[in-house]
Amino acid sequence: MRQLEYFVAVAEEKSFTRAAAKLHVAQPGVSTQIRQLERELKQRLLDRTGRTVLLTEVGAAVLPYAQAALAAVAGVRQAVDEHTGLLRGRVSVGMVTSSASAYDLPRLLADFHGEHPAIEITLSESTSDHLLTALREGRFDAVAVSPSTALPPGVETLTVADEPLVAAVSPGHPLAGRDRLRLAELRDEPLIVFHQSVGARATVEEACAEAGFPPRIAFEASDPNLLAELAVRGLGVAILPAPFAAARPATLRGIPLTDPPMRGSIAFAWRKNGSANPAANALIRHLQRAMRGDEG
């Protein structure tokens, strides 16, 4: 199997050097294994005479069978791993900047890693639009986005966080003593809001339009912690999820909003028809179980 693996790598890379780098082995080892394979088959599989390594006629005929053999072995290992509960592989997760703190993504991924220590997890940040495009193209297995973002066809979602948006002000702000606020009362206030790349920004703009005024935006950012800190410094009224205001009881006052009330949500999204990646499917199942546990 090692000889076939090395042969396929050289055939695909058209170079012993690149194949060795891809396989993380020394180049002489690759050459030796392929020569042994050729001696066993009594045929040359590779043409080494030019600057680029090419397949011989026999090598071209052998290649698809070698690839199929390697795939079959990988399938055997996967079947055994699934049966014993030891999944291997890699799962790629994307998230909008504001989402990690909303539902404790580090804990969720840590719990998943504890169940499946052989699965490699990668995590990247971007905007909801870019994440959903990458999900559709297969560059991510699952993404955490705002449900208010237009979802492409063939995507399933599961809401993992849904919190009221509040007006957050410093203790010395004139509105700090209010128990609640109608959104229209913020008409002339400098607002500190999410960047347009975050779905909650559209929620705020639509609510302000419903209340009859365009928002007076003073600052915008993708990180809710930065929005909170700007409000703590007295630079305006931040509109952010209630937990981020509640986390700073000494320096920030969160005031419920009415007429209309607003909510900020985060949902995990994945391709509806599932993934060919067993590791990704395991993550989705883990997420669904975790949310059922939260609800219970």
Side-chain angles (χ1 to χ4, degrees), residues 162-169 175 178-183 186 191-194 200 203-204 224 227-228 231 236-248 252-258 260-264:
D162 182 43
E163 302 286 353
L165 297 179
V166 300
V169 297
L175 297 175
R178 298 286 298 274
D179 291 331
R180 62 187 63 251
L181 283 169
R182 289 183 300 107
L183 185 59
L186 300 181
L191 299 184
I192 304 168
V193 298
F194 282 111
T203 300
V204 172
L227 301 183
V237 179
I239 299 181
L240 72 169
F244 289 95
R248 298 165 172 79
L252 206 58
R253 171 91 164 100
I255 309 169
L257 289 165
T258 63
M262 293 179 290
R263 302 189 72 83

Side-chain angles (χ1 to χ4, degrees), residues 32-147:
T32 299
Q33 290 292 336
I34 292 179
R35 280 197 299 270
Q36 290 177 357
L37 177 63
E38 290 176 322
R39 282 198 296 269
E40 182 177 343
L41 297 176
K42 297 181 175 61
Q43 294 289 335
R44 289 182 59 219
L45 303 177
L46 299 170
D47 182 353
R48 304 164 173 81
T49 57
R51 297 182 62 182
T52 300
V53 179
L54 300 175
L55 289 167
T56 64
E57 185 175 347
V58 174
V62 168
L63 179 60
Y65 291 99
Q67 292 169 324
L70 293 173
V73 170
V76 169
R77 289 174 177 153
Q78 178 181 311
V80 173
D81 289 346
E82 289 182 349
H83 185 73
T84 60
L86 181 61
L87 278 175
R88 292 182 174 86
R90 178 176 179 176
V91 59
S92 179
V93 180
M95 55 168 278
V96 290
T97 304
S98 62
S99 64
S101 301
Y103 58 96
D104 198 356
L105 180 61
R107 178 183 61 82
L108 187 151
L109 294 180
D111 290 346
F112 177 72
H113 178 69
E115 289 184 8
H116 302 287
I119 293 179
E120 178 186 353
I121 307 169
T122 63
L123 179 65
S124 303
E125 287 184 338
S126 189
T127 65
S128 290
D129 289 341
H130 289 167
L131 290 173
L132 289 169
T133 297
L135 176 68
R136 188 179 65 250
E137 295 174 351
R139 288 182 281 127
F140 283 114
D141 296 303
V143 295
V145 296
S146 169

